[in-house]
Amino acid sequence: MSESEKFGQLCALVKETAYLKSTLASLEWDQQTYMPVGAGAFRAEQITFLAGEIHRRETDQRVGDLLGELSSSDLAADNQSDSGATITGLKREYDKKIKLPESLVKAQAKASAIGQQVWIDARKNDDFKSFEPNLNEIFNLKKEQAEAVGYEECPYDALLDDFEPHAKTSEVAAALEGLRQELVPLVAAISESSSRPDTSVLKRNYPTEAQRRFGREASEKIGFDYTRGRLDVTHHPFCTELGPGDVRITTRFDESFFNTSFFGTLHEAGHGIYEQGLRTDFYGLPPGAFCSLGIHESQSRLWENLVGRSEGFWNFFYTRAVEIFPGALADVQQHDFYKAINNVQPSLIRVEADEATYDLHIIIRFQIEQAIINGELEIADLPGAWNEKYEQYLGITPPDDANGCLQDIHWSAGLVGYFPTYSLGNLHASQMYEAAEKELGNLQGMFSDGNFSPLRKWLNENVHQRGQTLTAQQLGEKVSGTKLSQEALMRHLNDKLAPIYALSPI
């Protein structure tokens, strides 16, 4: 059999596994949207079964043999080519997956499926104790995973690698610390400013159906294709890809707060635009897969914040917003609305946090995750540790666990190691935006005209279509021309917030 035939056989085997993964994703999407409560136990069994089948296929000896033979072939010589990225990427994942016992994979799948169901009720009822046993099991299983896979510096490395391949905890910690050191004085300066936006305009009545219509219009305008996707409602918004031509995004509504659904929808649409921009000819394979969660988050955070909270965006959309929400916005000037949606105020809920304080929420979760994995923090002590860090970093204390350590779905879903990718995404997003504007010209002027396609096409060509042919670090540097740092993000925040809060140039 020739090398090209072996490569074709490898791709066929992996694509078949991708079909099973898409089936699993469909069940998980349904679980978070339309599944009746009484179906929870059986859904957990379905998910557990499929997770085991997928693991068996991913660790199939046929796949290992083909990867072993192809790893030294000419097809793998250039690891940034389609064939090279496919072989090296699959080999890296295969070598990691074969270290995981199938029993552990199935146990994690079941614990997460049940954990998410328990979490929903625990958060609704502000009942951490009811969720504590499930969370303890989930973290213990993640510790087992870290030990089974192995790590160079610390156990958290093994978990972080699932979401940000090749990244090290120490590197991420250094990047976030550099960001924290510049964010803290900016937030302090804003808190001392006598110039404050009137945020009451965001807390008027915004009917759910009007929010749904406006969110869909805006997300479609920036580039989310509803002929290949849909928008639904869930407890905690997310985006999932069920296959080429089927990307699902979700939101949640609060009729007394504008930001919740609108910016959540833009955020998930950013994820969806990335998924819709991937190469379908390599579906299920590295060249047709997203680069990393940090890069994925760069797309959602870019469209949510650098675009969606910009003056240019609202130069185009504000008139329409007034038409859709006349009762709430008819007497509100555009510049006052713009200031309100960019208000900086330490808050309890991560997904509703402003751009300046958002990353402090992430740092808290990042530190807590490490402490639990390292055995320095017991699950029973999580609420207290959470509240202490919120007081330390944001100067506020959650009144209850529903607004504290129960607010995110991630841990119930077994996504330990995910949180730092949000901040990595913010850093990448700012650098990418600067690079796009340097090449395309005045992006704010384009947005004012309702023209978002140049930026979307630029991102598609420079980010989406590259898949995993580059690591996240390589991709970020290739796109922006510089190493990842807090500098571009801080320029963006200072340029936007200084006029709103009458701050001296920093």
Side-chain angles (χ1 to χ4, degrees), residues 257-276:
F257 190 48
F258 173 82
N259 289 13
T260 298
S261 178
F262 186 76
F263 291 108
T265 299
L266 287 189
H267 180 96
E268 301 307 335
H271 281 304
I273 290 168
Y274 188 2
E275 291 288 348
Q276 291 178 339

Side-chain angles (χ1 to χ4, degrees), residues 16 42 58 70 84 90 119 126 160 178-179 181 222 249 272 286 290 318 340 358 380-381 464 473:
E16 287 177 356
F42 181 66
E58 289 178 327
L70 290 168
L90 292 177
W119 166 79
D126 184 28
L160 176 65
L179 178 58
Q181 289 180 4
I222 65 174
I249 61 174
F290 64 86
Y318 193 67
Y358 181 89
D381 299 325
H464 310 163
Q473 180 181 353

Side-chain angles (χ1 to χ4, degrees), residues 132-172:
E132 183 182 325
N134 302 86
L135 189 59
N136 197 60
E137 179 185 10
I138 287 168
F139 266 95
N140 283 338
L141 290 170
K142 299 309 287 189
K143 292 177 185 178
E144 286 185 41
Q145 176 186 332
E147 294 304 321
V149 171
Y151 45 86
E152 292 181 13
E153 298 176 4
C154 65
Y156 193 82
D157 282 349
L159 307 177
L160 176 65
D161 192 79
D162 281 347
F163 307 102
E164 201 65 21
H166 305 281
K168 292 289 182 288
T169 306
S170 57
E171 297 168 349
V172 174

Side-chain angles (χ1 to χ4, degrees), residues 189-481:
I190 290 172
S191 68
E192 294 169 2
S193 172
S194 59
S195 177
R196 307 295 307 180
D198 176 10
T199 59
S200 67
V201 300
L202 303 176
K203 299 171 185 176
R204 298 177 175 182
N205 181 249
Y206 293 89
T208 293
E209 286 309 310
Q211 288 191 59
R212 191 192 310 272
R213 184 164 73 254
F214 189 45
R216 174 162 176 144
E217 285 184 20
S219 56
E220 188 169 29
K221 185 67 176 176
I222 65 174
F224 184 74
D225 182 357
Y226 279 95
T227 67
R228 298 186 294 143
R230 58 179 290 135
L231 174 66
D232 293 280
V233 180
T234 189
H235 296 280
H236 191 104
F238 65 95
C239 167
T240 191
E241 172 267 324
L242 306 186
D246 191 354
V247 177
R248 311 288 177 94
I249 61 174
T250 61
T251 192
R252 62 179 177 179
F253 297 102
D254 181 345
E255 291 196 333
S256 60
F257 190 48
F258 173 82
N259 289 13
T260 298
S261 178
F262 186 76
F263 291 108
T265 299
L266 287 189
H267 180 96
E268 301 307 335
H271 281 304
I273 290 168
Y274 188 2
E275 291 288 348
Q276 291 178 339
L278 296 172
R279 294 172 54 185
T280 58
D281 56 332
F282 273 89
Y283 173 71
L285 299 165
F290 64 86
C291 180
S292 77
L293 259 298
I295 297 299
H296 223 313
E297 288 301 329
S298 76
Q299 303 307 284
S300 59
R301 299 294 288 175
L302 186 151
W303 286 107
E304 174 192 358
N305 292 323
L306 283 90
V307 178
R309 295 181 193 269
S310 72
E311 287 189 281
F313 182 92
W314 291 103
N315 286 342
F316 179 76
F317 272 110
Y318 193 67
T319 299
R320 181 59 177 149
V322 174
E323 291 174 353
I324 293 180
F325 306 108
L329 296 177
D331 64 340
V332 180
Q333 296 297 312
Q334 180 183 329
H335 64 86
D336 291 327
F337 178 82
Y338 168 75
K339 289 179 180 179
I341 62 171
N342 285 292
N343 179 57
V344 173
Q345 180 72 42
S347 59
L348 296 170
I349 305 300
R350 173 187 64 85
V351 295
E352 295 170 3
D354 59 81
E355 288 184 87
T357 61
Y358 181 89
D359 291 295
L360 298 177
H361 291 260
I362 299 305
I363 292 169
I364 289 170
R365 289 153 175 78
F366 178 49
Q367 293 179 349
I368 285 176
E369 283 188 334
Q370 292 178 75
I372 295 174
I373 293 300
N374 291 337
E376 299 163 357
L377 177 66
E378 297 297 325
I379 295 296
D381 299 325
L382 172 59
W386 181 284
N387 293 350
E388 183 179 331
K389 284 191 175 293
Y390 262 74
E391 178 61 37
Q392 177 186 354
Y393 284 86
L394 291 160
I396 53 179
T397 302
D400 50 44
D401 293 333
N403 288 286
C405 64
L406 286 174
Q407 67 180 267
D408 294 300
I409 194 173
H410 300 64
W411 291 337
S412 71
L415 302 178
V416 180
Y418 189 123
F419 278 119
T421 67
Y422 287 110
S423 287
L424 294 176
N426 281 333
L427 299 177
H428 281 298
S430 299
Q431 294 187 179
M432 289 176 182
Y433 187 91
E434 284 191 350
E437 185 155 63
K438 184 177 181 181
E439 185 172 330
L440 298 174
N442 181 11
L443 291 176
Q444 288 296 307
M446 297 177 198
F447 302 161
S448 295
D449 294 333
N451 188 7
F452 301 95
S453 59
L455 176 59
R456 179 181 55 78
K457 291 176 180 176
W458 187 89
L459 290 167
N460 182 249
E461 178 182 341
N462 290 280
V463 180
H464 310 163
Q465 293 283 301
R466 295 187 189 276
Q468 294 177 1
T469 59
L470 299 170
T471 66
Q473 180 181 353
Q474 291 169 337
L475 177 62
E477 290 184 19
K478 189 173 187 66
V479 172
S480 68

